[in-house]
């Protein structure tokens, strides 16, 4: 038994990335037109693709969009006079990748890596440059979850860090959105096993959250859980417990059964690891009782299994 890793739901609102395929949108077909005949046609097609991506009322095939963008990227090559268009194409390749469930991560990541080498003199709107870094971080974080790619967690954290610096000076982001970017960076640092850095960043996020919402707001549950995870991973288990207590208190106040049962489990595991066997059993039993009273049969089966495992470990 062990503390479950916190599943990061953004603590605060970060700019959304709507899916390409939405049922209530106007569908357009992206035709395979081949290479542009000249620079003027290239610019026209880049502008058309950009308008489609910016229009939330339009849906289209992510696969077809990527094919078109690759054709345009090939035409542009290294031409200095088409540097602005090259940047826009690379940015769009990242955005299409993150929005489409059918595309692999590699094309988007490679495009945004190339875009980063073209940062000198990049005078595109700050919001677009911020989104590029954010999308790059998202793609790297997702790629890192594929077996064999765990090194990308650190790369994702780096991109979130760059996005956070841009967010600090971008007037289109609120303080809660800025905190959300940092929370995601901290999560990737934790996954990269850079626990001390993750802890420091999460402490900053918590301070921001408390200033914005107070010390007992439900939005704090995720960062408090993540702080407990950071400390637990560092072997500072007793320091982790107060954060779990706070999460449980917040969940109790809003009658959030899912979080309540999870925190009772987490506290039971931690008590077991700290040698407090009676407390461990009490937390696990309370979890079962709460779920049974609520009639939650799905979680109840899991809770009963966890309690049986605890008893076996205790030799009972």
């Amino acid at each position: 038994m062990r503390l479950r890793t916190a599943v990061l739901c953004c603590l605060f609102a970060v700019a959304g990335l709507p899916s390409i395929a939405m049922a209530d949108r106007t569908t357009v077909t992206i035709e395979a037109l081949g290479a542009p005949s000249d620079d003027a046609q290239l610019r026209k097609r880049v502008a058309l693709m950009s308008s489609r991506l910016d229009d939330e009322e339009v849906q289209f095939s992510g696969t077809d969009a990527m094919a078109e963008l690759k054709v345009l990227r090939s035409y542009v090559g290294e031409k200095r006079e088409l540097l602005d268009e090259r940047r826009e194409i690379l940015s769009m390749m990242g955005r299409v990748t993150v929005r489409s469930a059918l595309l692999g991560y590699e094309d988007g990541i490679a495009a945004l890596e190339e875009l980063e080498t073209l940062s000198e003199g990049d005078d595109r709107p700050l919001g677009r440059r911020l989104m590029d870094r954010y999308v790059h971080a998202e793609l790297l974080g997702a790629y890192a979850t594929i077996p064999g790619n765990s090194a990308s967690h650190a790369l994702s954290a780096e991109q979130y860090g760059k996005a956070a610096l841009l967010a600090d000076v971008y007037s289109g982001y609120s303080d809660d959105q800025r905190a959300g970017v940092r929370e995601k960076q901290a999560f990737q640092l934790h996954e990269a096993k850079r626990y001390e850095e993750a802890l420091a960043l999460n402490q900053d996020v918590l301070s921001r959250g408390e200033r914005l919402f107070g010390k007992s707001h439900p939005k704090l549950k995720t960062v408090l859980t993540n702080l407990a995870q950071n400390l637990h991973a560092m072997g500072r288990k007793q320091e982790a417990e107060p954060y779990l207590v706070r999460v449980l208190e917040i969940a109790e106040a809003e009658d959030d059964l899912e979080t309540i049962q999870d925190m009772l489990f987490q506290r039971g595991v931690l008590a077991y690891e700290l040698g407090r066997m009676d407390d461990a059993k009490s937390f696990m039993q309370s979890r079962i009782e709460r779920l049974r009273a609520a009639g939650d049969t799905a979680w109840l089966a899991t809770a009963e299994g966890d309690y049986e495992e605890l008893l076996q470990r205790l030799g009972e």
Side-chain angles (χ1 to χ4, degrees), residues 273-303:
E273 292 178 343
L274 293 172
R276 291 161 28 203
M277 304 311 173
D278 288 341
D279 285 345
K281 290 171 62 177
S282 177
F283 287 129
M284 294 294 192
Q285 289 169 338
S286 294
R287 181 189 183 203
I288 291 171
E289 291 167 3
R290 294 293 292 271
L291 291 168
R292 185 174 289 137
D296 193 320
T297 56
W299 279 112
L300 178 60
T302 300

Side-chain angles (χ1 to χ4, degrees), residues 5-11 180 183-188 222-223 226:
T5 301
V7 178
L8 181 67
C9 297
C10 195
L11 170 60
E183 184 185 46
K184 289 202 165 196
Q185 180 188 7
F187 178 77
Q188 293 299 331
T222 297
V223 69
N226 289 345

Side-chain angles (χ1 to χ4, degrees), residues 1 268-285 306-316:
M1 300 174 69
V269 172
L270 190 58
Y272 170 80
E273 292 178 343
L274 293 172
R276 291 161 28 203
M277 304 311 173
D278 288 341
D279 285 345
K281 290 171 62 177
S282 177
F283 287 129
M284 294 294 192
Q285 289 169 338
D306 289 337
Y307 184 58
E308 287 300 318
E309 181 181 346
L310 174 63
L311 294 180
Q312 290 175 10
R313 289 172 179 263
L314 296 176
E316 297 183 13

Side-chain angles (χ1 to χ4, degrees), residues 3-297:
L3 289 184
R4 295 194 180 104
T5 301
V7 178
L8 181 67
C9 297
C10 195
L11 170 60
F12 307 114
V14 178
L17 294 167
S19 168
I20 282 177
M22 297 288 284
D24 59 346
R25 295 181 178 181
T26 302
T27 301
V28 299
T29 300
I30 299 177
E31 298 177 358
L33 300 176
S37 59
D38 53 35
D39 290 359
Q41 189 183 96
L42 175 280
R43 291 188 173 98
K44 183 177 179 180
R45 284 165 64 175
V46 169
L48 178 59
M49 278 299 304
S50 182
S51 68
R52 285 168 171 167
L53 269 174
D54 289 341
D55 188 347
E56 295 188 2
E57 300 303 317
V58 170
Q59 69 175 19
F60 49 85
S61 163
T63 302
D64 291 346
M66 182 60 75
E68 165 73 349
L69 290 169
K70 285 184 176 181
V71 169
L72 300 180
R73 172 66 191 92
S74 178
Y75 176 89
V76 166
E78 308 297 318
K79 297 179 181 179
R80 293 295 303 175
E81 66 273 20
L82 294 177
L83 180 56
D84 289 343
E85 287 74 19
R86 180 180 170 190
R87 287 190 180 112
E88 183 62 15
I89 291 166
L90 295 170
S91 174
M92 287 191 289
M93 290 175 76
R95 293 162 66 197
V96 166
T97 301
V98 83
R99 294 183 184 188
S100 175
L102 299 179
L103 294 173
Y105 302 119
E106 292 84 354
D107 284 338
I109 290 172
L112 293 173
E113 286 176 349
E114 180 183 346
L115 178 59
E116 192 160 4
T117 69
L118 306 175
S119 60
E120 184 177 353
D122 187 354
D123 59 358
R124 292 176 303 141
L126 178 59
R128 179 57 58 84
R129 287 182 279 132
L130 165 57
M131 185 55 67
D132 288 336
R133 300 283 75 79
Y134 183 84
V135 168
H136 198 178
E138 292 277 287
L139 291 175
L140 287 165
Y143 186 66
T145 64
I146 300 173
N149 298 327
S150 60
S152 287
H153 284 302
L155 298 176
S156 176
E158 179 183 354
Q159 290 301 323
Y160 277 126
K162 292 179 179 180
L165 292 176
L166 293 175
D168 284 342
V169 295
Y170 177 50
S171 61
Y173 261 27
S174 60
D175 287 340
D176 56 338
Q177 288 174 308
R178 296 182 182 106
V181 177
R182 284 174 169 79
E183 184 185 46
K184 289 202 165 196
Q185 180 188 7
F187 178 77
Q188 293 299 331
L189 286 168
H190 181 92
E191 294 300 294
K193 303 187 187 308
R194 291 162 56 178
Y195 304 124
E196 291 188 8
E197 294 172 74
L199 176 66
L201 197 52
N202 274 324
Q203 288 171 332
D204 175 65
V205 171
L206 178 61
S207 295
R208 290 167 181 257
E210 289 175 337
R211 287 197 300 271
L212 287 168
F213 306 111
K215 293 181 179 291
S216 301
H217 197 282
K219 285 191 175 185
L220 302 182
K221 289 186 294 187
T222 297
V223 69
L224 289 166
T225 303
N226 289 345
L227 279 161
Q229 298 290 346
N230 299 153
L231 290 162
H232 184 269
M234 296 166 65
R236 296 162 59 179
K237 298 179 182 179
Q238 288 184 325
E239 295 176 62
E241 189 168 26
Y243 292 106
L244 299 180
V245 171
R246 282 185 65 181
V247 177
L248 183 56
E249 289 173 347
I250 293 171
E252 290 280 13
E254 61 171 348
D255 199 24
D256 175 6
L257 181 62
E258 182 175 352
T259 300
I260 290 169
Q261 68 84 27
D262 184 50
M263 285 301 105
L264 289 170
F265 170 80
Q266 303 269 21
R267 294 195 64 190
V269 172
L270 190 58
Y272 170 80
E273 292 178 343
L274 293 172
R276 291 161 28 203
M277 304 311 173
D278 288 341
D279 285 345
K281 290 171 62 177
S282 177
F283 287 129
M284 294 294 192
Q285 289 169 338
S286 294
R287 181 189 183 203
I288 291 171
E289 291 167 3
R290 294 293 292 271
L291 291 168
R292 185 174 289 137
D296 193 320
T297 56

